[in-house]
């Protein structure tokens, strides 16, 4: 069984409804107070509106040093439970048949709980390097919080030797993931009665042309690559996943908006992909629309994004995690994490945490107790290695 402290911490963390639309301050302040009570130095880096916060805590080395060392990174927000059919209260930890159920148990409060439970042990270890915790907000809506924390740490001159992002990987090292880029497009045409179509410009129909163009680009990536066989989906993907427009069946719509995303392989510049979308608009779509309505326009808005991540072979943190897990397989995944942000900040990073990503975001989300035990063992060995 996992330690009582890990179970207790997970129960506490799950009870905070930190769905991304909500504040995470109650959770962050609870963790802050618990760490400060043990003599740990804690910093909070709040969102611009003050409604949310990151937390950065440092367990110094035996000589008092706070520079270098390893950071354990986790996000505190979770996805909504709206419309999902849960068999238990999603914000109350429930054990059943070797599994712990609750929103965030897998993604990714289980990792955070295991780390916090081991703080007394970490403090007692004669470590020559510090150990840090980095807890962020709004990862699930585009990795919004972590950049603020990383920017502040850079201003402070903080140097980190490596980072472990504890996203659910079944405690297997993941050394690369795709980037994610989410965009909203608004197509502005001109309304008219549907019996007088030449007097209007149909925003839905032109949006449909652009959506088909996005699908054509996606098909080209699938057919022509580039490919990376170590990814579960070995090419860059593009999909349109939300759309709305129109007010009546007999009225040409003046507005249609839709959201699309693309997940780029490492080495594929997301700017280049978006440029292809916008070039089609400028060169083909808008000229046709403006023959019907001179003031037609198409707007793009970036909603969220996280950079791709690709750990260099032989990095010390990768070798350490491989040694501690005994796992040397090459694993790369399609989902995004904050690892790319740490890597951009110059911190060598690897992704490794308890739980299976297939259980994340679903009704009846859970983490296996055995996975938490594995995580505890891994983190304990990590502390000892320092």
């Amino acid at each position: 069984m996992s330690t009582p402290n890990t179970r207790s911490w997970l129960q506490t963390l799950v009870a905070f409804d930190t769905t991304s639309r909500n504040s995470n301050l109650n959770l962050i302040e609870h963790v802050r107070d618990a760490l400060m009570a043990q003599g740990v130095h804690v910093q909070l880096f709040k969102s611009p509106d003050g409604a949310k916060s990151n937390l950065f805590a440092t367990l110094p080395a035996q000589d008092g040093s706070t520079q270098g060392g390893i950071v354990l990174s986790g996000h505190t927000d979770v996805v909504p439970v709206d419309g999902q059919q849960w068999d238990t209260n999603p914000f109350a930890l429930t054990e059943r048949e070797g599994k712990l159920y609750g929103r965030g148990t897998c993604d990714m409060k289980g990792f955070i709980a295991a780390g916090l439970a081991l703080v007394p042990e970490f403090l007692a270890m004669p470590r020559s390097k510090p150990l840090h915790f980095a807890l962020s907000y709004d990862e699930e809506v585009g990795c919004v919080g972590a950049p603020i924390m990383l920017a502040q740490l850079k201003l402070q001159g903080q140097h980190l030797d490596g980072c472990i992002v504890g996203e659910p990987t079944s405690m297997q090292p993941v050394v690369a993931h795709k980037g994610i880029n989410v965009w909203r497009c608004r197509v502005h045409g001109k309304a008219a009665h549907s019996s007088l179509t030449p007097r209007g410009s149909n925003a839905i129909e032109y949006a449909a042309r652009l959506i088909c163009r996005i699908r054509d680009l996606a098909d080209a990536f699938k057919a022509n690559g580039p490919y990376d066989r170590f990814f579960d989906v070995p090419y860059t993907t593009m999909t349109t996943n939300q759309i709305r427009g129109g007010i009546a069946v007999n009225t040409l719509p003046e507005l249609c908006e839709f959201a699309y995303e693309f997940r780029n392989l490492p080495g594929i510049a997301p700017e280049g992909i978006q440029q292809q979308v916008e070039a089609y608009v400028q060169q083909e779509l808008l000229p046709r629309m403006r023959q019907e309505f001179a003031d037609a326009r198409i707007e793009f808005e970036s909603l969220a994004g996280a950079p791709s991540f690709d750990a260099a072979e032989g990095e010390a943190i990768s070798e350490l995690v491989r040694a501690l897990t005994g796992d040397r397989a090459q694993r790369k995944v399609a989902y995004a994490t904050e690892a790319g942000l740490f890597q951009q900040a110059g911190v060598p990073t690897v992704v490794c945490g308890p739980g299976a990503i297939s259980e994340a975001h679903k009704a009846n989300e859970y983490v296996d107790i055995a996975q938490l035990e594995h995580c505890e063992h891994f983190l304990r060995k990590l502390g000892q290695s320092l």
Side-chain angles (χ1 to χ4, degrees), residues 178-181 214-215 217-219 221-222 226 232-240 260-265 268 273 334:
K178 294 179 179 180
I180 182 172
N181 309 269
I214 290 170
R215 176 57 189 261
L217 291 173
D219 290 343
F221 281 121
K222 182 178 181 180
D232 39 9
V233 179
Y235 47 85
T236 294
T237 60
M238 301 183 73
T239 55
T240 300
Y260 63 98
E261 67 158 38
F262 51 91
R263 295 176 181 255
N264 55 295
L265 289 175
I268 303 298
I273 298 173

Side-chain angles (χ1 to χ4, degrees), residues 76-282:
T76 59
D77 63 317
V78 297
V79 298
V81 299
D82 303 9
Q84 295 183 338
Q85 298 299 313
W86 283 71
D87 297 329
T88 61
N89 182 347
F91 298 107
L93 192 67
T94 303
E95 180 180 349
R96 191 171 63 212
E97 297 178 349
K99 298 177 175 65
L100 295 174
Y101 290 84
R103 175 55 88 220
T105 51
C106 175
D107 186 16
M108 56 179 293
K109 292 178 176 179
F111 176 78
I112 297 172
L116 294 174
L118 290 172
V119 166
E121 291 187 43
F122 291 146
L123 291 171
M125 293 176 182
R127 289 172 292 101
S128 62
K129 291 279 190 178
L131 188 64
H132 313 271
F133 287 84
L135 307 185
S136 66
Y137 67 88
D138 281 2
E139 187 271 352
E140 295 288 7
V141 291
C143 296
V144 175
I148 292 173
M149 175 166 49
L150 290 168
Q152 290 298 316
L153 293 174
K154 182 178 180 180
L155 288 174
Q156 294 176 7
Q158 176 62 260
H159 169 74
L160 300 168
D161 296 327
C163 173
I164 299 172
V165 177
E167 291 277 4
T169 68
S170 299
M171 292 307 300
Q172 299 170 329
V174 166
V175 296
H177 65 62
K178 294 179 179 180
I180 182 172
N181 309 269
V182 183
W183 289 83
R184 177 185 290 131
C185 177
R186 292 187 179 92
V187 179
H188 297 268
K190 182 180 180 181
H193 194 283
S194 59
S195 66
L196 302 170
T197 57
R199 298 184 183 181
S201 183
N202 191 315
I204 287 179
E205 292 179 351
Y206 283 103
R209 291 179 183 273
L210 180 52
I211 290 169
C212 289
R213 176 60 175 170
I214 290 170
R215 176 57 189 261
D216 289 342
L217 291 173
D219 290 343
F221 281 121
K222 182 178 181 180
N224 305 318
Y227 304 105
D228 186 328
R229 65 184 180 86
F230 290 108
F231 278 91
D232 39 9
V233 179
Y235 47 85
T236 294
T237 60
M238 301 183 73
T239 55
T240 300
N241 300 326
Q242 290 180 311
I243 186 169
R244 65 179 182 179
I247 61 171
V249 71
N250 62 352
T251 304
L252 267 67
E254 66 177 339
L255 174 65
C256 181
E257 66 176 47
F258 62 93
Y260 63 98
E261 67 158 38
F262 51 91
R263 295 176 181 255
N264 55 295
L265 289 175
I268 303 298
E271 299 82 3
I273 298 173
Q274 179 62 18
Q275 286 170 6
Q276 291 184 68
V277 175
E278 295 187 25
Y280 174 76
V281 167
Q282 294 298 325

